Amino acid sequence: SNGGSATVKVQVTATCVLAYPNPYSLSSGKLLTFWGSGVVPYDTKIKIYTLGVDLVKTLKEEKGADTIDWDGRNESGETVVPGIYFYTSESPKEKNAGRITVVK
């Protein structure tokens, strides 16, 4: 820097599938959003697992969007308990894995 000031616009594109916000608060009333270059409209599947590798929820992008939302509920419609969860994503572009922390 030369000591001057300038405004620089930066655009960030995830090169995989990321979860936001992470940690995810169940009491926030908001959805957890999976986003990034690995989310292919109509053709992405995300699976969420417990630490014991039990399947919690399968999400599929079926609306033509470049994000997938999760409401913190399992396949039975029950709210999950706070803790650490793993997720996998699969699309024609890539396969990915990540971690979500769920808080009260």
Side-chain angles (χ1 to χ4, degrees):
S1 170
N2 63 4
S5 63
T7 301
V8 178
K9 292 184 179 186
V10 177
Q11 181 176 346
V12 177
T13 302
T15 57
C16 56
V17 175
L18 299 176
Y20 179 82
N22 194 4
Y24 170 59
S25 173
L26 293 168
S27 62
S28 71
K30 297 180 181 178
L31 300 174
L32 181 128
T33 301
F34 293 95
W35 65 285
S37 64
V39 178
V40 176
Y42 301 109
D43 206 2
T44 301
K45 184 186 302 182
I46 294 175
K47 292 185 177 186
I48 301 169
Y49 299 91
T50 65
L51 286 177
V53 196
D54 295 317
L55 180 63
V56 173
K57 183 78 172 185
T58 299
L59 307 168
K60 297 178 185 174
E61 203 309 289
E62 298 174 329
K63 299 176 185 177
D66 59 358
T67 62
I68 300 174
D69 294 323
W70 181 46
D71 61 2
R73 297 184 184 276
N74 63 20
E75 293 289 0
S76 299
E78 301 163 329
T79 302
V80 300
V81 298
I84 297 173
Y85 294 83
F86 293 106
Y87 67 89
T88 61
S89 67
E90 187 174 337
S91 74
K93 283 189 172 183
E94 65 184 46
K95 292 181 182 179
N96 184 44
R99 181 183 73 179
I100 307 164
T101 302
V102 175
V103 296
K104 198 173 185 180

